[in-house]
Structure formats: structure tokens, C-alpha cells
Amino acid sequence: MPKTAYVRTKPHLNIGTMGHVDHGKTTLTAAITKVLSDRGSGTFVPFDRIDRAPEEAARGITINISHVEYETGTRHYAHVDMPGHADFIKNMVTGAAQLDGAILVVSALDGIMPQTSEHVLLAKQVGVRHIVVALNKADAGDPELTDLVELEVRELLGAHGYDGEHVPVVRVSGLRALEGDPRWTEAIDALLDAVDTYVPMPERYVDAPFLLSVENVLTITGRGTVVTGAVERGTVRVGDRVAVLGAETETTVTGLETFGKPMESAEAGDNVALLLRGLHRDQVRRGHVVAAPGSVTPRRRFTAELYVLSTEEGGRRTPLSTGYRPQFYIRTADVVGDLDLGERAVARPGETVTVSVELGRDVPLEAGLGFAIREGGRTVGAGTVRTVEE
Ligand SMILES: Nc1nc2c(ncn2[C@@H]2O[C@H](COP(=O)(O)OP(=O)(O)OP(=O)(O)O)[C@@H](O)[C@H]2O)c(=O)[nH]1
Ligand SMILES: [Mg+2]
């Protein structure tokens, strides 16, 4: 039976849940799909269809990012549920790199925890412009303590360059909403209203040359290799030639889908799967970029403004110096890079410095692109590309 084609009826946005481990992101994600499907809009995706890897079930945590789709009255959303556990920050960054807005989930019982702050920082760095807060587990929280948590979260967001004062903060209970308790299904509606109104439709550069940063690679038996991700700019159609940067090859797009629905063409913002002719699964990885041939030249050297996280922010205790080699997180890529501090001998935690960087491999770079640097499982710095060198 042929699959029904995707019909573009509403503006499409990419959002997702982020926040500390166990604060209820996956439960809330399932609850959103439940509330909407009860209203006849979209399909309910139960918890164990979101955390579906055996290790996720066994440990009771999210490891891989997963995508669900749903529609509100005015918009179509692709929603990525990100892991909170500190060991899986890599996956979180990959998810966040595709978002137009994020739902920061904070447990009203626990308040801000280390990955609450780390996720806010990383989201800011990879370009998430808008955040809405879900104070989850409000069914179990003391209202006065919850007020304090709200103040804390607003302050945290303000400290990271978000509009902490005006960010919508909605008290929800993913768990109770999943059970159908009307008080809490209404809270989900309020949360979705906040997302619909507070996260603006971003400008989509549909006329620019096509570019997609690869989030995941899959094999479809009998058909070939598929890459997934959100289209950063431009449009792509079945039959188009594309360059796969990282694999250093060109190929043709032979199929296009969004959430299992075929499409003739995809545009900036769409969350898609591209079937690529003749490409072997081993040739392409997360972090590679699929783009219009000749439209971008990957580079490895650039200058940047880098903020070295303070020790209190979870950063290093000791200064950085020239020769330091952390991992750079740029779009969905993570790649090692060498830091050169120039005249300066060192950069201390809490300082902002200008640095020269040489990455371990070429990646598409441009001025203004944000990145994070991590070392030994923790985020130690956040930066912005200033100039790209030949
Ligand atoms: N009381 C209460 N418990 C909740 C609520 N939401 C989630 N929980 C419980 O909190 C635990 C963690 O929920 P998850 O949804 O897996 O949390 P998560 O944020 O997705 O966790 P990671 O993805 O591993 O970071 C589970 O035991 C949930 O049942 C809620 O609204 N109220
Ligand atoms: Mg989860």
C-alpha cells in the first residue's frame, strides 16, 4: 500500500524537551501526544515507544534522542525528546542543534540541578533562541517551594541571555496528564499554548543553497542508506544532486520522507529522512553535512570568542593554555580541536578570550556559528566563530 504523502497545512517548527535526568521529559512528551490525540489531533506515542532501546528500559533513562510529531490548532511540530543523564550530553547537543525552541523541564520537587544549567548553556550555544519552562511534577510539589523554583529558573535563564523575566513558566504534571486527570490535561494545553505563542516562527532561508547537518544514519534494507536531520536552509527535492561533506562524495537524493510520510521536496526547518543513492552506511556519520554541491567549503581553522566556564558553572578549576585539545560541538558534529591563545599565556575559568582553533577535520563553518567545548564528560566552554581562515 503506498504511504500517504505529507501535506503541508500548517507552519512547521522543531521543538524538544531538555533538562536534568528524571525530571520527566519523556513522560511529558508522551503526555503531550496523549492530550492531543484525545482531541483527535495526531497519534499518542506511549512512554515505552519513546524510550524504546533495551538499555533505556532497563536503566529507566533516556539515552537516544527520539522524535515525535504532533499538531496544535495553529502549527505542526517535530518534537525531540532529549536525554538528561550527564553521560549522554552528546546526544542532547545533537537534538538541540535542530531546535527552533525548547521546553526546559524542571522538576518542581528538585529545582535546578547540574544538567538543568548545562542544557540551558548548551542550548544557547547551539542557537536555540526561545525557551518555555515546564515545572513538572507539580502534582507532588509544595506550591510555595514551586514558587521558589520558578524564581530560580527565571534567574538561570536570565544569566544565560534568555528573557528570564518574560519566559512562560507553566506548572504541569506529565504523569497525571497521561492518566487523564482533567486538571493536568488542561495544564498541557496551557503549555502548548505558551509554545504556540511564545516561540515565534523563525525566518526560514528557503532560497539559500540546501544544507542539512546529519543527526542519524540508518539502513533501509533493499533501499540503501538514509540520513536524518532538520534542514538548516534551502530546499531539496527527490532527484537533486547533493554533496556529503565528511564522506567527500556526491550523490543523488532518491527518496524524501518526514515521519514516515513521503514528500516531493523538503524545505528549511523540515525534519526529514533523505535516501541517498549508492552511499554506503559506513561512509556517512552524525555530524557530516549534506549540502548543495559547491555551496560550502569545509574548513578547519577559525578564530572565535570563547567563554571559559567558571568552576561554579561546572567548568574547570584550572586555566587553559595554548595546546589545549578539547572536543568541539558544532551543529551535530563533535570534533577534536587545538586551541591557540596567542599572546595570552592562559585563560582562567570565568574569562572570555579570543582564540585561534584548528579542528581535527574540515567542517562547514561560518561567522556567527555557536559551539561548545567539552573535556572528559563535562562542558568547559562556549564560543562563537568570528572568522574562518583558508
Ligand atoms: N509525581 C510525578 N512523577 C513524575 C512526573 N513526570 C514524571 N514522573 C516520574 O519521574 C520519573 C522520571 O521520568 P522520565 O519521564 O523518565 O524522566 P526524563 O526526564 O525523561 O529522564 P531522562 O530522559 O533519563 O533524563 C519516572 O518515574 C516518572 O514516572 C510527574 O508529573 N509527577
Ligand atoms: Mg527521558
Side-chain angles (χ1 to χ4, degrees):
M1 200 177 75
K3 293 191 232 173
T4 339
Y6 175 68
V7 187
R8 201 182 293 279
T9 53
K10 293 175 185 168
H12 170 83
L13 280 90
N14 299 298
I15 60 164
T17 32
M18 62 180 196
H20 194 76
V21 67
D22 267 355
H23 282 201
K25 299 171 291 297
T26 304
T27 307
L28 180 63
T29 301
I32 291 172
T33 64
K34 171 91 168 39
V35 169
L36 289 173
S37 85
D38 285 349
R39 275 212 249 103
S41 170
T43 313
F44 172 41
V45 188
F47 188 95
D48 59 5
R49 288 297 304 156
I50 303 173
D51 280 358
R52 59 178 180 268
E55 194 188 349
E56 293 181 314
R59 294 176 66 182
I61 59 168
T62 303
I63 295 174
N64 304 310
I65 52 180
S66 46
H67 296 268
V68 302
E69 68 167 335
Y70 49 78
E71 276 179 31
T72 60
T74 54
R75 289 170 166 185
H76 179 262
Y77 288 102
H79 172 127
V80 37
D81 179 40
M82 290 170 267
H85 196 289
D87 288 355
F88 306 108
I89 290 278
K90 243 186 180 176
N91 297 344
M92 179 272 163
V93 178
T94 306
Q98 319 173 359
L99 301 187
D100 303 312
I103 301 174
L104 175 66
V105 180
V106 184
S107 159
L109 309 179
D110 301 321
I112 293 173
M113 296 293 278
Q115 273 66 53
T116 314
S117 325
E118 190 172 8
H119 284 192
V120 170
L121 178 116
L122 291 167
K124 187 75 193 174
Q125 265 341 97
V126 299
V128 179
R129 308 259 294 274
H130 304 277
I131 289 182
V132 169
V133 178
L135 281 187
N136 192 36
K137 311 198 185 187
D139 60 289
D142 168 83
E144 276 172 32
L145 278 180
T146 309
D147 288 343
L148 288 180
V149 173
E150 173 169 343
L151 285 177
E152 254 187 6
V153 177
R154 290 188 182 281
E155 211 173 288
L156 173 78
L157 289 170
H160 284 94
Y162 290 100
D163 185 0
E165 212 180 313
H166 297 106
V167 160
V169 177
V170 185
R171 297 177 189 209
V172 298
S173 168
L175 196 63
R176 298 282 169 255
L178 257 186
E179 292 165 359
D181 181 335
R183 168 165 176 211
W184 298 111
T185 58
E186 276 163 32
I188 299 289
D189 285 324
L191 178 68
L192 290 170
D193 275 346
V195 174
D196 275 345
T197 51
Y198 188 75
V199 180
M201 181 67 194
E203 190 173 345
R204 303 289 194 204
Y205 299 99
V206 289
D207 295 328
F210 169 66
L211 189 148
L212 172 145
S213 192
V214 175
E215 180 220 301
N216 204 0
V217 184
L218 316 159
T219 308
I220 301 189
T221 317
R223 292 194 69 196
T225 301
V226 165
V227 299
T228 65
V231 178
E232 184 172 309
R233 58 194 183 220
T235 57
V236 64
R237 302 178 164 276
V238 175
D240 279 358
R241 291 291 290 174
V242 289
V244 185
L245 307 164
E248 315 321 334
T249 183
E250 268 190 30
T251 176
T252 302
V253 177
T254 52
L256 256 179
E257 282 190 356
T258 184
F259 292 97
K261 293 184 275 279
M263 50 198 331
E264 276 302 304
S265 82
E267 60 184 49
D270 289 347
N271 202 293
V272 295
L274 299 180
L275 182 64
L276 299 174
R277 174 178 293 153
L279 196 72
H280 195 267
R281 202 207 144 109
D282 301 338
Q283 281 178 282
V284 59
R285 282 190 269 124
R286 173 188 284 185
H288 287 178
V289 165
V290 183
S295 64
V296 276
T297 310
R299 302 272 185 220
R300 64 180 65 195
R301 294 177 53 223
F302 62 97
T303 64
E305 200 168 275
L306 176 73
Y307 171 64
V308 185
L309 293 201
S310 67
T311 314
E312 300 77 63
E313 289 169 311
R316 291 167 55 97
R317 289 175 195 287
T318 55
L320 306 179
S321 50
T322 294
Y324 180 59
R325 256 172 90 76
Q327 283 299 115
F328 284 72
Y329 288 72
I330 305 176
R331 294 196 177 94
T332 60
D334 73 290
V335 43
V336 70
D338 267 302
L339 227 73
D340 186 340
L341 294 178
E343 305 280 280
R344 292 179 70 106
V346 296
R348 290 186 183 75
E351 284 183 332
T352 300
V353 290
T354 302
V355 295
S356 301
V357 178
E358 180 162 354
L359 298 174
R361 69 174 172 86
D362 292 337
V363 301
L365 295 170
E366 55 206 58
L369 200 60
F371 61 89
I373 61 174
R374 306 190 78 233
E375 158 207 340
R378 65 183 164 161
T379 303
V380 297
T384 307
V385 174
R386 288 296 170 225
T387 57
V388 181
E389 326 252 294
E390 294 273 305

